[in-house]
Amino acid sequence: MSQANQPAQGEARPKVEQGLGAKTSLRVNELDLLRFIAALMVVMFHYGFRGYAADGYSLLPLPAYAPVSKYGYLGVELFFMISGFVILMTASSGSLKKFVISRVVRLYPAFWACCTITFVAIFIFGDSRFTATFSQYLINLTMLNEFVGVRSIDGVYWSLAVEIHFYFFVVLVLLAGQIRHALWFLIAWLVISIALDVLPKEMFLMSRLRSMFIVDSAYYFIAGATCYLVRANGVSILKGLVILVTWLMATWTSIQALGGLEARYQTTINPLIVGLLIALFFAVVVLMSFKLTGFLAKKQWITLGALTYPLYLLHQNLGYLNFNYWYGSVNEHILLWGTIAGILVLAYFVHEQVEARGGAQLKAFLDRLIEKLAKSEPQAAQP
């Protein structure tokens, strides 16, 4: 998670969305709950299945949880779908400056804290399975390490690179001043992704093109962004077709990928369950776009939403290190749920002490910096 990961709730702005010409409240309560559910899915995938099933990261076998936990990898896809919705909502004013500042403020303070905590834990408790150098840590702090070929300190950071790639696309649309026509850019991205999925993978430059257009995650971003457009400006046949096609392609490509997953993890994955989960994701986000999620929309889930990003960033390596330290001396169920509880407490601390405070300070600093740079620009010559 992504998000990825991580997708974030957009900052509050006036109810009129100037960029898309819609009148809607930017606080969508259900997003916080969905993000937390996606994070828990990923946590249970790593703790209840993946850590022990591959690469020997975890010594703790949890066979009672594995049959369900192995489907938790789809939580990342839900993150990407939420991110498509939220990021287009954040960019809807058409202001590049606001968009960039909002993303930097939302992502970096918590990431710096979580990356530092994980690095220190690896330095103190790590072994041959968990290693990190100081230079690797410094490059990781930029959040751009994946783009320069430096390994992430924690494997979950891979989804951040996907998110940043998506942000780059949004920045290009904002630079072009075309956020009002976002749907056409989404359709173009969808057509390119389908073409790259149906053409032979062995074709020249195919791997590079798939990476350039983040095809493996594109359908979820496109679907989420289109659902935001439905919520903001209403439904249309074209938007409905985009959502339908992205759902079909997301389902088809996910089922096509099962063979590789089954071989890697030496397990069987039911394609019907995968298809049903993806359909559920799409159904919930579509209902959200029509404001039909009932009591979920009326309740505030702010605390759960606040925990999501640091929970996602912290859980994997810290959890495995804890499992390996206590394995054999603590009951497996107590160790599992005690670790989850501990990571949630740590995530809350990071949110309260770093994300909330540091984010506000970083935003104030960036606002002052941009204002200072604007004032220092040469003034146009007077006639």
Side-chain angles (χ1 to χ4, degrees):
M1 133 164 153
S2 287
Q3 157 168 321
N5 54 72
Q6 281 305 80
Q9 185 72 25
E11 285 74 20
R13 294 194 297 274
K15 288 188 177 182
V16 176
E17 299 199 15
Q18 298 174 359
L20 297 176
K23 294 182 179 180
T24 182
S25 172
L26 287 185
R27 168 54 84 177
V28 183
N29 292 323
E30 313 95 297
L31 286 173
D32 289 321
L33 178 61
L34 287 180
R35 289 169 57 215
F36 187 73
I37 291 172
L40 283 184
M41 289 180 67
V42 176
V43 169
M44 289 307 300
F45 171 69
H46 288 145
Y47 285 3
F49 176 70
R50 187 257 191 272
Y52 186 78
D55 302 319
Y57 286 129
S58 172
L59 299 176
L60 180 65
L62 292 166
Y65 299 91
V68 175
S69 295
K70 64 184 177 183
Y71 295 97
Y73 74 93
L74 291 168
V76 177
E77 319 296 11
L78 178 55
F79 268 133
F80 290 151
M81 196 169 182
I82 296 168
S83 184
F85 189 104
V86 170
I87 297 309
L88 192 56
M89 179 170 67
T90 306
S92 62
S93 70
S95 170
L96 177 62
K97 183 184 80 170
K98 287 181 180 179
F99 177 75
V100 172
I101 289 178
S102 73
R103 293 303 89 206
V104 170
V105 167
R106 180 66 181 90
L107 295 181
Y108 275 95
F111 179 78
W112 289 333
C114 294
C115 187
T116 300
I117 291 169
T118 300
F119 174 69
V120 171
I122 290 173
F123 181 78
I124 297 174
F125 301 106
D127 51 30
S128 59
R129 289 163 295 187
F130 304 95
T131 60
T133 65
F134 188 68
S135 60
Q136 178 189 358
Y137 160 69
L138 292 178
I139 296 172
N140 268 243
L141 289 179
T142 67
M143 212 180 289
L144 302 175
N145 56 287
E146 294 276 349
F147 298 98
V148 295
V150 175
R151 184 173 60 88
S152 295
I153 284 179
D154 193 308
V156 299
Y157 298 170
W158 74 269
S159 63
L160 297 177
V162 177
E163 290 279 347
I164 290 171
H165 206 136
F166 174 49
Y167 297 170
F168 176 72
F169 289 165
V170 176
V171 166
L172 291 180
V173 176
L174 288 170
L175 282 171
Q178 297 296 313
I179 197 65
R180 293 176 182 270
H181 305 293
L183 180 61
W184 294 106
F185 287 90
L186 294 172
I187 292 172
W189 187 13
L190 175 59
V191 171
I192 292 170
S193 297
I194 293 173
L196 294 174
D197 258 330
V198 299
L199 290 172
K201 301 284 192 295
E202 299 78 18
M203 285 183 61
F204 181 65
L205 291 179
M206 182 61 70
S207 176
R208 182 167 295 183
L209 287 171
R210 289 181 62 85
S211 176
M212 181 185 302
F213 290 98
I214 46 174
V215 174
D216 291 335
S217 309
Y219 302 120
Y220 299 97
F221 285 123
I222 295 167
T226 306
C227 284
Y228 169 69
L229 293 176
V230 170
R231 185 178 178 105
N233 292 332
V235 71
S236 67
I237 293 176
L238 191 56
K239 292 173 190 174
L241 284 174
V242 170
I243 294 170
L244 175 62
V245 172
T246 53
W247 168 54
L248 293 174
M249 289 302 300
T251 303
W252 179 70
T253 54
S254 293
I255 292 175
Q256 289 288 310
L258 292 186
L261 291 175
E262 290 177 332
R264 173 169 173 72
Y265 295 116
Q266 296 298 298
T267 189
T268 58
I269 301 176
N270 190 327
L272 178 60
I273 295 176
V274 171
L276 288 175
L277 284 172
I278 293 172
L280 179 62
F281 297 163
F282 272 76
V284 171
V285 178
V286 167
L287 287 174
M288 186 175 67
S289 71
F290 284 102
K291 304 179 184 179
L292 295 175
T293 43
F295 80 96
L296 296 180
K298 295 177 182 177
K299 288 181 64 70
Q300 290 194 340
W301 311 91
I302 296 174
T303 300
L304 293 182
L307 290 174
T308 300
Y309 185 43
L311 169 64
Y312 180 82
L313 294 175
L314 290 167
H315 79 274
Q316 183 171 245
N317 282 358
L318 293 186
Y320 292 156
L321 289 169
N322 195 54
F323 287 168
N324 297 344
Y325 185 84
W326 293 105
Y327 175 64
S329 58
V330 177
N331 176 273
E332 62 183 18
H333 303 290
I334 294 175
L335 183 53
L336 170 64
W337 295 107
T339 300
I340 292 175
I343 295 294
L344 283 170
V345 170
L346 185 57
Y348 183 78
F349 174 82
V350 169
H351 169 68
E352 286 292 313
Q353 301 301 319
V354 178
E355 193 172 21
R357 297 182 181 183
Q361 294 172 357
L362 181 58
K363 184 178 186 305
F365 169 76
L366 292 174
D367 285 337
R368 290 196 302 270
L369 178 63
I370 291 176
E371 182 179 354
K372 184 177 180 180
L373 291 174
K375 289 181 178 178
S376 66
E377 290 180 357
Q379 299 296 317
Q382 296 297 322

